[in-house]
PDB file of all heavy atoms in Angstrom:
ATOM      1  N   THR A 208       1.804  51.420 -68.720  1.00 79.00           N
ATOM      2  CA  THR A 208       2.805  51.322 -69.775  1.00 79.00           C
ATOM      3  C   THR A 208       2.594  50.064 -70.610  1.00 79.00           C
ATOM      4  O   THR A 208       2.728  50.090 -71.841  1.00 79.00           O
ATOM      5  CB  THR A 208       4.218  51.293 -69.155  1.00 79.00           C
ATOM      6  OG1 THR A 208       4.395  52.441 -68.356  1.00 79.00           O
ATOM      7  CG2 THR A 208       5.279  51.269 -70.231  1.00 79.00           C
ATOM      8  N   ALA A 209       2.273  48.942 -69.953  1.00 87.00           N
ATOM      9  CA  ALA A 209       2.119  47.672 -70.669  1.00 87.00           C
ATOM     10  C   ALA A 209       0.949  47.725 -71.645  1.00 87.00           C
ATOM     11  O   ALA A 209       1.049  47.248 -72.782  1.00 87.00           O
ATOM     12  CB  ALA A 209       1.925  46.536 -69.674  1.00 87.00           C
ATOM     13  N   ALA A 210      -0.186  48.300 -71.215  1.00 89.00           N
ATOM     14  CA  ALA A 210      -1.356  48.369 -72.090  1.00 89.00           C
ATOM     15  C   ALA A 210      -1.053  49.198 -73.329  1.00 89.00           C
ATOM     16  O   ALA A 210      -1.443  48.835 -74.450  1.00 89.00           O
ATOM     17  CB  ALA A 210      -2.542  48.963 -71.327  1.00 89.00           C
ATOM     18  N   ARG A 211      -0.352  50.316 -73.139  1.00 82.00           N
ATOM     19  CA  ARG A 211      -0.011  51.157 -74.284  1.00 82.00           C
ATOM     20  C   ARG A 211       1.072  50.491 -75.140  1.00 82.00           C
ATOM     21  O   ARG A 211       1.032  50.562 -76.375  1.00 82.00           O
ATOM     22  CB  ARG A 211       0.466  52.523 -73.802  1.00 82.00           C
ATOM     23  CG  ARG A 211      -0.663  53.388 -73.244  1.00 82.00           C
ATOM     24  CD  ARG A 211      -0.118  54.706 -72.681  1.00 82.00           C
ATOM     25  NE  ARG A 211      -1.197  55.602 -72.262  1.00 82.00           N
ATOM     26  CZ  ARG A 211      -1.818  55.540 -71.106  1.00 82.00           C
ATOM     27  NH1 ARG A 211      -1.478  54.602 -70.242  1.00 82.00           N
ATOM     28  NH2 ARG A 211      -2.777  56.384 -70.809  1.00 82.00           N
ATOM     29  N   GLY A 212       2.037  49.874 -74.483  1.00 82.00           N
ATOM     30  CA  GLY A 212       3.151  49.282 -75.227  1.00 82.00           C
ATOM     31  C   GLY A 212       2.742  48.096 -76.080  1.00 82.00           C
ATOM     32  O   GLY A 212       3.198  47.956 -77.218  1.00 82.00           O
ATOM     33  N   TYR A 213       1.885  47.229 -75.530  1.00 89.00           N
ATOM     34  CA  TYR A 213       1.506  46.017 -76.256  1.00 89.00           C
ATOM     35  C   TYR A 213       0.293  46.226 -77.179  1.00 89.00           C
ATOM     36  O   TYR A 213       0.224  45.643 -78.249  1.00 89.00           O
ATOM     37  CB  TYR A 213       1.205  44.884 -75.276  1.00 89.00           C
ATOM     38  CG  TYR A 213       2.433  44.283 -74.631  1.00 89.00           C
ATOM     39  CD1 TYR A 213       2.672  44.453 -73.268  1.00 89.00           C
ATOM     40  CD2 TYR A 213       3.369  43.571 -75.375  1.00 89.00           C
ATOM     41  CE1 TYR A 213       3.797  43.918 -72.670  1.00 89.00           C
ATOM     42  CE2 TYR A 213       4.500  43.035 -74.784  1.00 89.00           C
ATOM     43  CZ  TYR A 213       4.716  43.214 -73.434  1.00 89.00           C
ATOM     44  OH  TYR A 213       5.837  42.693 -72.856  1.00 89.00           O
ATOM     45  N   PHE A 214      -0.666  47.078 -76.711  1.00 89.00           N
ATOM     46  CA  PHE A 214      -1.923  47.166 -77.461  1.00 89.00           C
ATOM     47  C   PHE A 214      -2.275  48.582 -77.926  1.00 89.00           C
ATOM     48  O   PHE A 214      -3.272  48.779 -78.610  1.00 89.00           O
ATOM     49  CB  PHE A 214      -3.081  46.619 -76.609  1.00 89.00           C
ATOM     50  CG  PHE A 214      -2.872  45.189 -76.174  1.00 89.00           C
ATOM     51  CD1 PHE A 214      -2.639  44.874 -74.846  1.00 89.00           C
ATOM     52  CD2 PHE A 214      -2.875  44.155 -77.102  1.00 89.00           C
ATOM     53  CE1 PHE A 214      -2.434  43.568 -74.436  1.00 89.00           C
ATOM     54  CE2 PHE A 214      -2.677  42.840 -76.711  1.00 89.00           C
ATOM     55  CZ  PHE A 214      -2.450  42.543 -75.376  1.00 89.00           C
ATOM     56  N   GLY A 215      -1.464  49.585 -77.526  1.00 82.00           N
ATOM     57  CA  GLY A 215      -1.726  50.945 -77.963  1.00 82.00           C
ATOM     58  C   GLY A 215      -3.016  51.526 -77.423  1.00 82.00           C
ATOM     59  O   GLY A 215      -3.672  52.330 -78.088  1.00 82.00           O
ATOM     60  N   LYS A 216      -3.425  51.154 -76.208  1.00 85.00           N
ATOM     61  CA  LYS A 216      -4.679  51.649 -75.638  1.00 85.00           C
ATOM     62  C   LYS A 216      -4.532  51.824 -74.134  1.00 85.00           C
ATOM     63  O   LYS A 216      -3.589  51.304 -73.516  1.00 85.00           O
ATOM     64  CB  LYS A 216      -5.828  50.701 -75.964  1.00 85.00           C
ATOM     65  CG  LYS A 216      -5.615  49.262 -75.472  1.00 85.00           C
ATOM     66  CD  LYS A 216      -6.820  48.372 -75.762  1.00 85.00           C
ATOM     67  CE  LYS A 216      -6.991  48.061 -77.222  1.00 85.00           C
ATOM     68  NZ  LYS A 216      -8.080  47.068 -77.455  1.00 85.00           N
ATOM     69  N   ASP A 217      -5.466  52.547 -73.547  1.00 83.00           N
ATOM     70  CA  ASP A 217      -5.486  52.701 -72.090  1.00 83.00           C
ATOM     71  C   ASP A 217      -5.959  51.401 -71.452  1.00 83.00           C
ATOM     72  O   ASP A 217      -6.730  50.638 -72.062  1.00 83.00           O
ATOM     73  CB  ASP A 217      -6.422  53.848 -71.687  1.00 83.00           C
ATOM     74  CG  ASP A 217      -5.869  55.206 -72.105  1.00 83.00           C
ATOM     75  OD1 ASP A 217      -4.635  55.333 -72.157  1.00 83.00           O
ATOM     76  OD2 ASP A 217      -6.682  56.106 -72.397  1.00 83.00           O
ATOM     77  N   PRO A 218      -5.537  51.148 -70.192  1.00 90.00           N
ATOM     78  CA  PRO A 218      -5.948  49.899 -69.530  1.00 90.00           C
ATOM     79  C   PRO A 218      -7.464  49.700 -69.497  1.00 90.00           C
ATOM     80  O   PRO A 218      -7.941  48.570 -69.655  1.00 90.00           O
ATOM     81  CB  PRO A 218      -5.381  50.053 -68.115  1.00 90.00           C
ATOM     82  CG  PRO A 218      -4.204  50.948 -68.290  1.00 90.00           C
ATOM     83  CD  PRO A 218      -4.587  51.914 -69.367  1.00 90.00           C
ATOM     84  N   LYS A 219      -8.236  50.813 -69.312  1.00 91.00           N
ATOM     85  CA  LYS A 219      -9.689  50.663 -69.191  1.00 91.00           C
ATOM     86  C   LYS A 219     -10.334  50.136 -70.474  1.00 91.00           C
ATOM     87  O   LYS A 219     -11.461  49.641 -70.457  1.00 91.00           O
ATOM     88  CB  LYS A 219     -10.325  51.992 -68.810  1.00 91.00           C
ATOM     89  CG  LYS A 219     -10.117  53.122 -69.792  1.00 91.00           C
ATOM     90  CD  LYS A 219     -10.696  54.430 -69.250  1.00 91.00           C
ATOM     91  CE  LYS A 219     -10.414  55.604 -70.176  1.00 91.00           C
ATOM     92  NZ  LYS A 219     -10.951  55.442 -71.531  1.00 91.00           N
ATOM     93  N   ASP A 220      -9.599  50.229 -71.591  1.00 92.00           N
ATOM     94  CA  ASP A 220     -10.146  49.775 -72.872  1.00 92.00           C
ATOM     95  C   ASP A 220      -9.726  48.353 -73.242  1.00 92.00           C
ATOM     96  O   ASP A 220     -10.051  47.868 -74.335  1.00 92.00           O
ATOM     97  CB  ASP A 220      -9.690  50.730 -73.987  1.00 92.00           C
ATOM     98  CG  ASP A 220     -10.201  52.146 -73.767  1.00 92.00           C
ATOM     99  OD1 ASP A 220     -11.345  52.285 -73.295  1.00 92.00           O
ATOM    100  OD2 ASP A 220      -9.446  53.101 -74.053  1.00 92.00           O
ATOM    101  N   LEU A 221      -9.028  47.660 -72.354  1.00 94.00           N
ATOM    102  CA  LEU A 221      -8.553  46.304 -72.646  1.00 94.00           C
ATOM    103  C   LEU A 221      -9.713  45.315 -72.664  1.00 94.00           C
ATOM    104  O   LEU A 221     -10.628  45.395 -71.832  1.00 94.00           O
ATOM    105  CB  LEU A 221      -7.520  45.857 -71.608  1.00 94.00           C
ATOM    106  CG  LEU A 221      -6.191  46.620 -71.586  1.00 94.00           C
ATOM    107  CD1 LEU A 221      -5.366  46.187 -70.378  1.00 94.00           C
ATOM    108  CD2 LEU A 221      -5.399  46.405 -72.873  1.00 94.00           C
ATOM    109  N   SER A 222      -9.643  44.353 -73.571  1.00 95.00           N
ATOM    110  CA  SER A 222     -10.631  43.272 -73.615  1.00 95.00           C
ATOM    111  C   SER A 222     -10.273  42.191 -72.605  1.00 95.00           C
ATOM    112  O   SER A 222      -9.185  42.201 -72.013  1.00 95.00           O
ATOM    113  CB  SER A 222     -10.677  42.659 -75.018  1.00 95.00           C
ATOM    114  OG  SER A 222      -9.457  41.975 -75.294  1.00 95.00           O
ATOM    115  N   LEU A 223     -11.173  41.235 -72.418  1.00 95.00           N
ATOM    116  CA  LEU A 223     -10.888  40.095 -71.534  1.00 95.00           C
ATOM    117  C   LEU A 223      -9.620  39.384 -71.981  1.00 95.00           C
ATOM    118  O   LEU A 223      -8.744  39.070 -71.158  1.00 95.00           O
ATOM    119  CB  LEU A 223     -12.077  39.132 -71.533  1.00 95.00           C
ATOM    120  CG  LEU A 223     -11.821  37.732 -70.928  1.00 95.00           C
ATOM    121  CD1 LEU A 223     -11.380  37.841 -69.467  1.00 95.00           C
ATOM    122  CD2 LEU A 223     -13.066  36.860 -71.060  1.00 95.00           C
ATOM    123  N   LEU A 224      -9.485  39.108 -73.285  1.00 95.00           N
ATOM    124  CA  LEU A 224      -8.311  38.388 -73.786  1.00 95.00           C
ATOM    125  C   LEU A 224      -7.045  39.193 -73.549  1.00 95.00           C
ATOM    126  O   LEU A 224      -6.017  38.646 -73.117  1.00 95.00           O
ATOM    127  CB  LEU A 224      -8.481  38.096 -75.280  1.00 95.00           C
ATOM    128  CG  LEU A 224      -7.308  37.388 -75.969  1.00 95.00           C
ATOM    129  CD1 LEU A 224      -6.984  36.070 -75.268  1.00 95.00           C
ATOM    130  CD2 LEU A 224      -7.621  37.136 -77.438  1.00 95.00           C
ATOM    131  N   GLU A 225      -7.091  40.497 -73.783  1.00 95.00           N
ATOM    132  CA  GLU A 225      -5.904  41.329 -73.574  1.00 95.00           C
ATOM    133  C   GLU A 225      -5.530  41.401 -72.098  1.00 95.00           C
ATOM    134  O   GLU A 225      -4.345  41.400 -71.737  1.00 95.00           O
ATOM    135  CB  GLU A 225      -6.161  42.730 -74.142  1.00 95.00           C
ATOM    136  CG  GLU A 225      -6.234  42.741 -75.669  1.00 95.00           C
ATOM    137  CD  GLU A 225      -6.827  44.013 -76.243  1.00 95.00           C
ATOM    138  OE1 GLU A 225      -7.501  44.765 -75.490  1.00 95.00           O
ATOM    139  OE2 GLU A 225      -6.638  44.259 -77.444  1.00 95.00           O
ATOM    140  N   CYS A 226      -6.540  41.428 -71.231  1.00 95.00           N
ATOM    141  CA  CYS A 226      -6.266  41.390 -69.791  1.00 95.00           C
ATOM    142  C   CYS A 226      -5.567  40.088 -69.402  1.00 95.00           C
ATOM    143  O   CYS A 226      -4.633  40.073 -68.590  1.00 95.00           O
ATOM    144  CB  CYS A 226      -7.574  41.526 -69.007  1.00 95.00           C
ATOM    145  SG  CYS A 226      -8.304  43.176 -69.069  1.00 95.00           S
ATOM    146  N   ALA A 227      -6.036  38.970 -69.962  1.00 94.00           N
ATOM    147  CA  ALA A 227      -5.427  37.668 -69.658  1.00 94.00           C
ATOM    148  C   ALA A 227      -3.986  37.614 -70.140  1.00 94.00           C
ATOM    149  O   ALA A 227      -3.109  37.047 -69.469  1.00 94.00           O
ATOM    150  CB  ALA A 227      -6.253  36.553 -70.301  1.00 94.00           C
ATOM    151  N   ILE A 228      -3.718  38.198 -71.312  1.00 94.00           N
ATOM    152  CA  ILE A 228      -2.345  38.206 -71.833  1.00 94.00           C
ATOM    153  C   ILE A 228      -1.428  38.956 -70.875  1.00 94.00           C
ATOM    154  O   ILE A 228      -0.355  38.465 -70.508  1.00 94.00           O
ATOM    155  CB  ILE A 228      -2.307  38.845 -73.233  1.00 94.00           C
ATOM    156  CG1 ILE A 228      -3.016  37.953 -74.250  1.00 94.00           C
ATOM    157  CG2 ILE A 228      -0.863  39.093 -73.673  1.00 94.00           C
ATOM    158  CD1 ILE A 228      -3.225  38.588 -75.608  1.00 94.00           C
ATOM    159  N   LEU A 229      -1.859  40.176 -70.446  1.00 95.00           N
ATOM    160  CA  LEU A 229      -1.007  40.973 -69.555  1.00 95.00           C
ATOM    161  C   LEU A 229      -0.841  40.311 -68.193  1.00 95.00           C
ATOM    162  O   LEU A 229       0.248  40.315 -67.616  1.00 95.00           O
ATOM    163  CB  LEU A 229      -1.608  42.375 -69.377  1.00 95.00           C
ATOM    164  CG  LEU A 229      -1.589  43.295 -70.604  1.00 95.00           C
ATOM    165  CD1 LEU A 229      -2.109  44.681 -70.239  1.00 95.00           C
ATOM    166  CD2 LEU A 229      -0.194  43.400 -71.195  1.00 95.00           C
ATOM    167  N   ALA A 230      -1.898  39.713 -67.662  1.00 94.00           N
ATOM    168  CA  ALA A 230      -1.825  39.090 -66.338  1.00 94.00           C
ATOM    169  C   ALA A 230      -0.845  37.923 -66.310  1.00 94.00           C
ATOM    170  O   ALA A 230      -0.310  37.587 -65.247  1.00 94.00           O
ATOM    171  CB  ALA A 230      -3.211  38.617 -65.908  1.00 94.00           C
ATOM    172  N   GLY A 231      -0.573  37.313 -67.456  1.00 93.00           N
ATOM    173  CA  GLY A 231       0.347  36.174 -67.497  1.00 93.00           C
ATOM    174  C   GLY A 231       1.810  36.554 -67.564  1.00 93.00           C
ATOM    175  O   GLY A 231       2.683  35.696 -67.419  1.00 93.00           O
ATOM    176  N   LEU A 232       2.119  37.848 -67.755  1.00 93.00           N
ATOM    177  CA  LEU A 232       3.507  38.251 -67.996  1.00 93.00           C
ATOM    178  C   LEU A 232       4.366  38.424 -66.743  1.00 93.00           C
ATOM    179  O   LEU A 232       5.539  38.047 -66.760  1.00 93.00           O
ATOM    180  CB  LEU A 232       3.534  39.553 -68.817  1.00 93.00           C
ATOM    181  CG  LEU A 232       2.828  39.510 -70.176  1.00 93.00           C
ATOM    182  CD1 LEU A 232       2.993  40.843 -70.883  1.00 93.00           C
ATOM    183  CD2 LEU A 232       3.365  38.381 -71.033  1.00 93.00           C
ATOM    184  N   PRO A 233       3.893  39.030 -65.636  1.00 91.00           N
ATOM    185  CA  PRO A 233       4.800  39.376 -64.532  1.00 91.00           C
ATOM    186  C   PRO A 233       5.566  38.209 -63.931  1.00 91.00           C
ATOM    187  O   PRO A 233       6.652  38.410 -63.396  1.00 91.00           O
ATOM    188  CB  PRO A 233       3.851  40.015 -63.493  1.00 91.00           C
ATOM    189  CG  PRO A 233       2.734  40.567 -64.299  1.00 91.00           C
ATOM    190  CD  PRO A 233       2.527  39.570 -65.399  1.00 91.00           C
ATOM    191  N   GLN A 234       5.008  37.016 -63.973  1.00 89.00           N
ATOM    192  CA  GLN A 234       5.716  35.889 -63.343  1.00 89.00           C
ATOM    193  C   GLN A 234       7.084  35.665 -63.965  1.00 89.00           C
ATOM    194  O   GLN A 234       8.054  35.371 -63.279  1.00 89.00           O
ATOM    195  CB  GLN A 234       4.882  34.613 -63.445  1.00 89.00           C
ATOM    196  CG  GLN A 234       5.491  33.454 -62.652  1.00 89.00           C
ATOM    197  CD  GLN A 234       4.689  32.179 -62.805  1.00 89.00           C
ATOM    198  OE1 GLN A 234       4.923  31.388 -63.699  1.00 89.00           O
ATOM    199  NE2 GLN A 234       3.720  31.998 -61.907  1.00 89.00           N
ATOM    200  N   ASN A 235       7.187  35.822 -65.281  1.00 89.00           N
ATOM    201  CA  ASN A 235       8.481  35.652 -65.957  1.00 89.00           C
ATOM    202  C   ASN A 235       8.437  36.364 -67.309  1.00 89.00           C
ATOM    203  O   ASN A 235       8.343  35.737 -68.356  1.00 89.00           O
ATOM    204  CB  ASN A 235       8.794  34.165 -66.143  1.00 89.00           C
ATOM    205  CG  ASN A 235      10.274  33.936 -66.413  1.00 89.00           C
ATOM    206  OD1 ASN A 235      10.995  34.839 -66.819  1.00 89.00           O
ATOM    207  ND2 ASN A 235      10.733  32.713 -66.188  1.00 89.00           N
ATOM    208  N   PRO A 236       8.513  37.688 -67.309  1.00 89.00           N
ATOM    209  CA  PRO A 236       8.362  38.437 -68.565  1.00 89.00           C
ATOM    210  C   PRO A 236       9.432  38.143 -69.588  1.00 89.00           C
ATOM    211  O   PRO A 236       9.188  38.253 -70.786  1.00 89.00           O
ATOM    212  CB  PRO A 236       8.421  39.903 -68.098  1.00 89.00           C
ATOM    213  CG  PRO A 236       9.076  39.872 -66.758  1.00 89.00           C
ATOM    214  CD  PRO A 236       8.690  38.577 -66.143  1.00 89.00           C
ATOM    215  N   SER A 237      10.613  37.745 -69.150  1.00 84.00           N
ATOM    216  CA  SER A 237      11.677  37.435 -70.114  1.00 84.00           C
ATOM    217  C   SER A 237      11.339  36.215 -70.955  1.00 84.00           C
ATOM    218  O   SER A 237      11.888  36.029 -72.039  1.00 84.00           O
ATOM    219  CB  SER A 237      13.007  37.190 -69.380  1.00 84.00           C
ATOM    220  OG  SER A 237      13.436  38.372 -68.749  1.00 84.00           O
ATOM    221  N   VAL A 238      10.442  35.383 -70.452  1.00 89.00           N
ATOM    222  CA  VAL A 238      10.009  34.196 -71.195  1.00 89.00           C
ATOM    223  C   VAL A 238       8.682  34.441 -71.903  1.00 89.00           C
ATOM    224  O   VAL A 238       8.497  34.097 -73.064  1.00 89.00           O
ATOM    225  CB  VAL A 238       9.885  32.981 -70.252  1.00 89.00           C
ATOM    226  CG1 VAL A 238       9.270  31.792 -70.986  1.00 89.00           C
ATOM    227  CG2 VAL A 238      11.247  32.611 -69.697  1.00 89.00           C
ATOM    228  N   TYR A 239       7.744  35.097 -71.193  1.00 91.00           N
ATOM    229  CA  TYR A 239       6.377  35.182 -71.696  1.00 91.00           C
ATOM    230  C   TYR A 239       6.101  36.398 -72.578  1.00 91.00           C
ATOM    231  O   TYR A 239       5.074  36.450 -73.245  1.00 91.00           O
ATOM    232  CB  TYR A 239       5.385  35.175 -70.521  1.00 91.00           C
ATOM    233  CG  TYR A 239       5.404  33.902 -69.711  1.00 91.00           C
ATOM    234  CD1 TYR A 239       5.476  33.936 -68.322  1.00 91.00           C
ATOM    235  CD2 TYR A 239       5.356  32.666 -70.341  1.00 91.00           C
ATOM    236  CE1 TYR A 239       5.488  32.764 -67.577  1.00 91.00           C
ATOM    237  CE2 TYR A 239       5.368  31.494 -69.608  1.00 91.00           C
ATOM    238  CZ  TYR A 239       5.441  31.547 -68.221  1.00 91.00           C
ATOM    239  OH  TYR A 239       5.446  30.394 -67.496  1.00 91.00           O
ATOM    240  N   SER A 240       6.972  37.399 -72.568  1.00 89.00           N
ATOM    241  CA  SER A 240       6.699  38.605 -73.349  1.00 89.00           C
ATOM    242  C   SER A 240       6.602  38.279 -74.839  1.00 89.00           C
ATOM    243  O   SER A 240       7.461  37.588 -75.383  1.00 89.00           O
ATOM    244  CB  SER A 240       7.811  39.643 -73.142  1.00 89.00           C
ATOM    245  OG  SER A 240       7.697  40.678 -74.107  1.00 89.00           O
ATOM    246  N   PRO A 241       5.559  38.793 -75.512  1.00 89.00           N
ATOM    247  CA  PRO A 241       5.454  38.556 -76.969  1.00 89.00           C
ATOM    248  C   PRO A 241       6.605  39.193 -77.745  1.00 89.00           C
ATOM    249  O   PRO A 241       6.876  38.801 -78.875  1.00 89.00           O
ATOM    250  CB  PRO A 241       4.113  39.218 -77.326  1.00 89.00           C
ATOM    251  CG  PRO A 241       3.360  39.302 -76.045  1.00 89.00           C
ATOM    252  CD  PRO A 241       4.381  39.486 -74.977  1.00 89.00           C
ATOM    253  N   PHE A 242       7.286  40.201 -77.149  1.00 84.00           N
ATOM    254  CA  PHE A 242       8.350  40.916 -77.853  1.00 84.00           C
ATOM    255  C   PHE A 242       9.733  40.331 -77.576  1.00 84.00           C
ATOM    256  O   PHE A 242      10.530  40.160 -78.487  1.00 84.00           O
ATOM    257  CB  PHE A 242       8.348  42.398 -77.452  1.00 84.00           C
ATOM    258  CG  PHE A 242       7.129  43.143 -77.924  1.00 84.00           C
ATOM    259  CD1 PHE A 242       6.780  44.347 -77.340  1.00 84.00           C
ATOM    260  CD2 PHE A 242       6.331  42.649 -78.945  1.00 84.00           C
ATOM    261  CE1 PHE A 242       5.660  45.053 -77.773  1.00 84.00           C
ATOM    262  CE2 PHE A 242       5.205  43.339 -79.383  1.00 84.00           C
ATOM    263  CZ  PHE A 242       4.865  44.544 -78.796  1.00 84.00           C
ATOM    264  N   ILE A 243      10.037  40.054 -76.332  1.00 79.00           N
ATOM    265  CA  ILE A 243      11.397  39.628 -75.979  1.00 79.00           C
ATOM    266  C   ILE A 243      11.456  38.218 -75.413  1.00 79.00           C
ATOM    267  O   ILE A 243      12.538  37.723 -75.104  1.00 79.00           O
ATOM    268  CB  ILE A 243      12.036  40.603 -74.956  1.00 79.00           C
ATOM    269  CG1 ILE A 243      11.276  40.556 -73.626  1.00 79.00           C
ATOM    270  CG2 ILE A 243      12.090  42.011 -75.517  1.00 79.00           C
ATOM    271  CD1 ILE A 243      11.947  41.302 -72.495  1.00 79.00           C
TER     272      ILE A 243
END
Side-chain angles (χ1 to χ4, degrees):
T208 303
R211 288 176 174 83
Y213 286 112
F214 302 111
K216 58 177 71 174
D217 291 330
K219 61 185 176 59
D220 298 323
L221 294 172
S222 68
L223 166 59
L224 178 57
E225 290 165 342
C226 288
I228 292 171
L229 291 185
L232 302 182
Q234 187 182 89
N235 198 340
S237 295
V238 173
Y239 297 132
S240 167
F242 293 161
I243 65 171

